[in-house]
Amino acid sequence: MTTLAADFHAPSIAYTALSPILIVTVAAVVGVLVDAFAPRASRWALQVTVSLAGLVGSFVAVCLLAHHRQLTAAGAIAVDGPSLFLQGTIAVLAVASVLLISDRSPEAGGGSVVAEASTTPGSADERAGIAAGRAQTEIFPLLMFAVAGMMLFPAANDLLMLFVALEVLSLPLYLMCGLARRRRLLSQEAAVKYFLLGAFSSAFFLYGLAMLYGYAGTVSLSGIQQAAVVGQHNDTLLVLGIGLLGVGLMFKIGATPFHSWIPDVYQGAPTPVTALMAAATKVAAFGALLRVFYVAFGGLGWDWRPVAWGVAIATMLVGSLFAVTQTDVKRMLAYSSVAHAGFILVGVVALNRAGLSGSLFYLLSYGLTTIGAFGILTLVRDPDGEATHLSRWAGLGRRSPLVGGVFALFLLALAGIPLTSGFTGKFAVFSAAVSGGATPLVVVGAISSAMAAFFYVRVIVLMFFAEPVADGPVVVTPGMATAGALAVAVAVTVVLGVFPQPVLDLSNHAVPFLR
């Protein structure tokens, strides 16, 4: 016993380097305590304050660590340029999501995340008090725990830590998907489907982890890479491990053919939660995918790149084709998210410094544009809730030029029109793919972009050139928080399209990964 104790050494943990993740985790724990002990009437405001303070503090910590590069926790976590860039991006996207949620308080009349007070008997003050007590304030600590997992996911440097991060980010999202009260059945269906998607993802990931451990004798990404370069007798384990691990990660990014339930999940979840999943979850998942395939399998491009080509082509084409057929704006944006996963995979396939840098830039620009697009959806409402059917948006731009114009800007950016952030992001990953010898993939990407432009422009034409619906939806005046989130999204979409060089330089300086 004494000998074992003497030989055991606890791993050294650089808490300062992990401060962005730790700050968010502490804020999540504080949120749980607030929900348990704070007076009901003040919980909503306290939860918003704690969440925003934690996210802003985490972003500040990322900025202070900008030039820090270190392996910590026995090499299980890498604090380097790409992980810090992605953590900062996730923090900004999470702030925007919290702002969208905060304006859906009982006093603001929100219906998807909180209960309505209008059907409660009694005086107005009594109804407001009861509604405040029914407010689903648990959404804030759940969101913060999910964000902590998202920040850990792209920084994890071994497969076990990757799996832990995968579960930490996924479990709260399963619950958050089921919090829409106006559409309870649809929301609960979304939660169950997302849980099943996550279960499949975890199962494939674990099988791949086991195969790779059997091949290399280690779960470290750099150790797997060294074993693959040296070569082992049983390459079957390596190939199976790469395939199964890749499938697990493809579920999380929503690539074809693993995307089938993604539109259902996005449609059924509360819209601010959908915005978080479509933006921040995709950023985290692609960060992990990039680290795994660039660090562990970077020298084996001949093994997995042909399959990645096929997945990227199928994802771009399927996402664009199915988006054209949608009559629901929320489902259209969901299939748009699938198509964009294919475009980002083009940067992954490039397997060079420019591909990694371009993918980081694309994730930032896509994330904020997507948050903004879903934020607009929360403002267009029918008596029964959000008006997401495409026919209800006819003439919306005539009746509300500002809302219609902002949504049109986001759609043009998602289509990749020049002078928007979407064009710069696509140019970055496509040029990297050309330099990496994947020109045919870029041709397919250009064709898919042209197809995607059709359904984006179709919505713009419907909003500004069709006759308004007689009993059309009401455009709600956004609260200060929602207006702030949309203003930031608009500013970033324009600035990264007109003057993107500083952020391109930042993403370029962030690479490569620390091994």
Side-chain angles (χ1 to χ4, degrees), residues 163-470:
F163 179 72
V164 170
L166 176 64
E167 295 306 303
V168 172
L169 78 89
S170 298
L171 291 174
L173 291 175
Y174 303 152
L175 299 175
M176 293 166 66
C177 285
L179 291 181
R181 290 190 173 179
R182 279 184 179 269
R183 297 167 286 109
R184 181 170 296 176
L185 292 179
L186 192 61
S187 182
Q188 290 174 351
E189 178 187 347
V192 171
K193 286 184 174 180
Y194 198 52
F195 170 76
L196 292 175
L197 280 174
F200 284 125
S201 175
S202 298
F204 279 106
F205 190 96
L206 279 176
Y207 273 115
L209 185 156
M211 295 290 182
L212 291 172
Y213 180 74
Y215 173 80
T218 179
V219 293
S220 167
L221 297 183
S222 57
I224 294 170
Q225 192 269 341
Q226 292 171 6
V229 169
V230 172
Q232 302 289 339
H233 294 296
N234 192 358
D235 284 343
T236 303
L237 287 177
L238 176 63
V239 174
L240 287 175
I242 294 174
L244 291 170
L245 196 71
V247 168
L249 292 172
M250 292 296 175
F251 269 109
K252 298 309 294 183
I253 66 173
T256 300
F258 315 109
H259 72 285
S260 300
W261 282 346
I262 292 293
D264 298 334
V265 173
Y266 283 15
Q267 184 180 21
T271 301
V273 176
T274 303
L276 180 73
M277 291 192 296
T281 303
K282 196 174 292 291
V283 170
F286 264 107
L289 183 75
L290 286 164
R291 184 175 294 278
V292 167
F293 280 89
Y294 273 63
V295 175
F297 310 134
L300 301 173
W302 58 269
D303 278 333
W304 58 268
R305 282 183 75 186
V307 177
W309 273 52
V311 173
I313 291 172
T315 303
M316 290 185 289
L317 292 177
V318 169
S320 300
L321 284 172
F322 277 82
V324 172
T325 65
Q326 300 307 308
T327 58
D328 185 279
V329 180
K330 208 170 179 182
R331 288 184 70 87
M332 184 200 74
L333 291 177
Y335 277 108
S336 167
S337 175
V338 172
H340 280 278
F343 296 137
I344 304 171
L345 278 173
V346 174
V348 178
V349 171
L351 202 60
N352 53 29
R353 184 186 179 99
L356 177 54
S357 172
S359 298
L360 295 179
F361 180 91
Y362 199 122
L363 289 168
L364 172 62
S365 61
Y366 161 81
L368 282 166
T369 301
T370 300
I371 288 278
F374 281 106
I376 293 294
L377 285 184
T378 65
L379 303 179
V380 184
R381 307 184 70 84
D382 274 336
D384 295 329
E386 292 166 357
T388 59
H389 197 277
L390 194 58
S391 63
R392 305 292 293 162
W393 288 62
L396 185 73
R398 294 186 181 185
R399 292 189 289 110
S400 299
L402 181 59
V403 171
V406 170
F407 192 60
L409 173 65
F410 292 141
L411 292 178
L412 292 174
L414 292 172
I417 301 302
L419 299 181
T420 65
S421 59
F423 173 80
T424 310
K426 285 183 180 178
F427 180 82
V429 295
F430 286 174
S431 60
V434 170
S435 64
T439 303
L441 192 58
V442 174
V443 173
V444 176
I447 295 172
S448 299
S449 297
M451 293 165 52
F454 169 77
F455 59 81
Y456 293 126
V457 173
R458 179 183 64 172
V459 178
I460 296 174
V461 170
L462 183 69
M463 288 193 299
F464 288 96
F465 297 99
E467 289 297 324
V469 181

